[in-house]
Amino acid sequence: MDINNYKAMVVTEDNGKFIRKITDRSTSSLGKGPTLVHVKYSSLNYKDALSVTGNKGVTRRYPHTPGIDAAGIIVDSADSAFNKGDQVIVSGYDLGMNTSGGFSQYIKVPSEWIIKLPENLTLKESMIYGTAGFTAAQSLYKLESEGLKPPCDDILVTGATGGVGSMAVALLAKAGYRPVASTGKREKHNYLRQLGAVEVLDRHQIDDTSERAILKQTWAGVIDTVGGNTLATAIKSAKYGASVTTCGMVQSPALNTTIFPFILRGVNLLGIDSAMCPKEIRNILWQKIANEWKIPTLDLICIECSLEELDEKIDLMLAGKITGRVVVNLDK
Ligand SMILES: NC(=O)c1ccc[n+]([C@@H]2O[C@H](COP(=O)([O-])OP(=O)(O)OC[C@H]3O[C@@H](n4cnc5c(N)ncnc54)[C@H](OP(=O)(O)O)[C@@H]3O)[C@@H](O)[C@H]2O)c1
């Protein structure tokens, strides 16, 4: 691979329109980052779809190469902790936001952002998890830090066919829990059962409009990926002392609730941020992902595509139509 002539997705801004193209690039355009990584796989996350379409809360400056996830091989590093040829994962921090990201055959990043690929995980598998799988793992880790452990009653997962949702259902099943999946996709109930869901609900069933302050105690825990009224409903339906994690806002960033679930039932609302997750927690979670939380249904969740095929997947994600995880093979 020629470091002076490789391919990357570049998004340019033209009169308020954002245009994406696969373009030839040279690593000299990546600036003077300390560590050069030859990217083998990346993955598509909702944040990338926002970056591609000009969301200035994610990316301020264009032209820009998105991609908040990358897995590949160290080419050159000023840090003695890494050797040429090491297999590594880079996800989160500023990658793909205002730092040129993983939809490219090369990235340059600070070495603090890099995790060595755990044994028992391939580069491709690490990107099937990617930020979405890492966020699902982080959500389960936080629930368990609040005392959740199997066996217990049902755990609700919202946005269940999405990237974070699919990984959460499969991780919970692998870890011995009873995940109940909520989805808007009728045709995907069987997929969710194959991942390990004990029950599948239509998303309307957990979008309560009664305006009651609390509802029947149903969930021993919740991993919410959509926010809005779905999150409010999940909080009102959590069992006494249960915890609810919140990471996403595809339905809405608004949260309209009262304090009653918190003061009458001791419910906990736990915020999840994967981007700046401390490195010691990252290492713990990647080890769990590669070992006791390694999902047997990864092939079912993965949709592999080339950089050229990514364009249509981005549109599908923005329309809420992706099932599972889109993994980008940069050698394809
Ligand atoms: N905090 C963090 O660190 C972090 C990390 C990763 C992701 N996130 C956020 O988490 C969210 C999910 O990310 P993702 O990668 O899983 O996205 P995704 O693959 O696009 O999945 C989102 C899922 O949400 C459901 N959905 C879509 N529109 C909806 C609506 N209007 N109302 C209710 N549900 C809807 C759909 O699932 P069903 O059809 O099955 O209902 C969809 O597949 C995003 O907001 C993302 O930015 C946050």
Side-chain angles (χ1 to χ4, degrees):
M1 179 68 54
D2 183 354
I3 62 167
N4 294 314
N5 187 15
Y6 63 89
K7 59 180 180 170
M9 176 181 280
V10 178
V11 180
T12 50
E13 184 174 6
D14 182 14
N15 279 328
K17 282 194 175 162
F18 293 84
I19 299 145
R20 47 207 197 229
K21 271 200 188 128
I22 308 305
T23 307
D24 290 336
R25 290 192 72 180
S26 160
T27 52
S28 58
S29 69
L30 294 174
K32 285 195 176 143
T35 303
L36 181 64
V37 179
H38 180 183
V39 182
K40 293 289 186 179
Y41 291 94
S42 180
S43 82
L44 178 62
N45 291 278
Y46 198 77
K47 213 185 227 179
D48 302 317
L50 295 178
S51 171
V52 164
T53 46
N55 184 309
K56 296 281 165 107
V58 178
T59 300
R60 290 187 300 278
R61 290 180 303 275
Y62 297 83
H64 173 65
T65 292
I68 63 170
D69 280 333
I73 294 161
I74 298 276
V75 177
D76 186 27
S77 178
D79 188 330
S80 58
F82 297 102
N83 296 313
K84 192 175 170 187
D86 283 351
Q87 298 193 93
V88 296
I89 303 167
V90 187
S91 72
Y93 299 100
D94 192 49
L95 186 71
M97 294 182 69
N98 290 294
T99 300
S100 190
F103 297 165
S104 167
Q105 289 174 313
Y106 286 92
I107 53 171
K108 265 187 191 170
V109 289
S111 51
E112 303 80 66
W113 296 3
I114 302 174
I115 297 274
K116 281 195 181 160
L117 184 75
E119 276 179 33
N120 202 28
L121 204 62
T122 65
L123 289 172
K124 180 177 169 182
E125 286 171 340
S126 76
M127 287 294 102
I128 303 177
Y129 286 90
T131 290
F134 182 84
T135 304
Q138 207 182 353
S139 304
L140 178 53
Y141 184 74
K142 269 215 167 176
L143 290 177
E144 291 195 337
S145 307
E146 289 299 323
L148 189 75
K149 57 174 190 281
C152 65
D153 290 334
D154 296 350
I155 312 289
L156 175 67
V157 178
T158 65
T161 66
V164 182
S166 294
M167 300 305 292
V169 170
L171 272 176
L172 284 163
K174 171 71 185 176
Y177 293 93
R178 293 173 47 81
V180 171
S182 150
T183 182
K185 300 187 186 84
R186 278 194 190 161
E187 70 288 3
K188 293 294 174 185
H189 287 207
N190 190 38
Y191 162 79
L192 290 166
R193 287 191 187 280
Q194 284 177 286
L195 297 189
V198 295
E199 192 183 347
V200 183
L201 304 177
D202 184 282
R203 71 160 83 122
H204 296 302
Q205 291 174 258
I206 47 145
D207 199 354
D208 177 71
T209 51
S210 70
E211 296 191 7
R212 288 173 59 192
I214 47 176
L215 298 166
K216 184 178 169 213
Q217 296 190 45
T218 310
W219 313 116
V222 178
I223 296 181
D224 175 61
T225 74
V226 305
N229 194 51
T230 297
L231 174 58
T233 306
I235 292 169
K236 292 180 197 177
S237 324
K239 288 193 175 222
Y240 192 92
S243 297
V244 176
T245 64
T246 170
C247 71
M249 49 166 204
V250 288
Q251 184 179 53
S252 168
L255 177 58
N256 186 12
T257 180
T258 68
I259 64 165
F260 289 116
F262 307 109
I263 65 168
L264 296 180
R265 290 184 180 162
V267 169
N268 302 308
L269 181 58
L270 309 175
I272 304 295
D273 169 55
S274 59
M276 298 308 291
C277 175
K279 201 158 183 182
E280 64 270 24
I281 308 281
R282 273 179 202 270
N283 281 321
I284 292 171
L285 289 176
W286 278 112
Q287 282 304 324
K288 278 181 171 287
I289 283 169
N291 294 288
E292 68 262 35
W293 285 355
K294 188 152 185 203
I295 294 168
T297 43
L298 282 179
D299 285 349
L300 213 60
I301 295 173
C302 174
I303 308 159
E304 185 174 328
C305 73
S306 65
L307 204 49
E308 287 78 6
E309 290 161 342
L310 181 56
D311 201 51
E312 51 163 340
K313 308 288 187 232
I314 292 169
D315 290 332
L316 286 172
M317 176 165 269
L318 286 165
K321 288 187 178 159
I322 288 283
T323 294
R325 296 272 301 136
V326 174
V327 170
V328 189
N329 180 342
L330 275 306
D331 283 341
K332 216 171 164 187

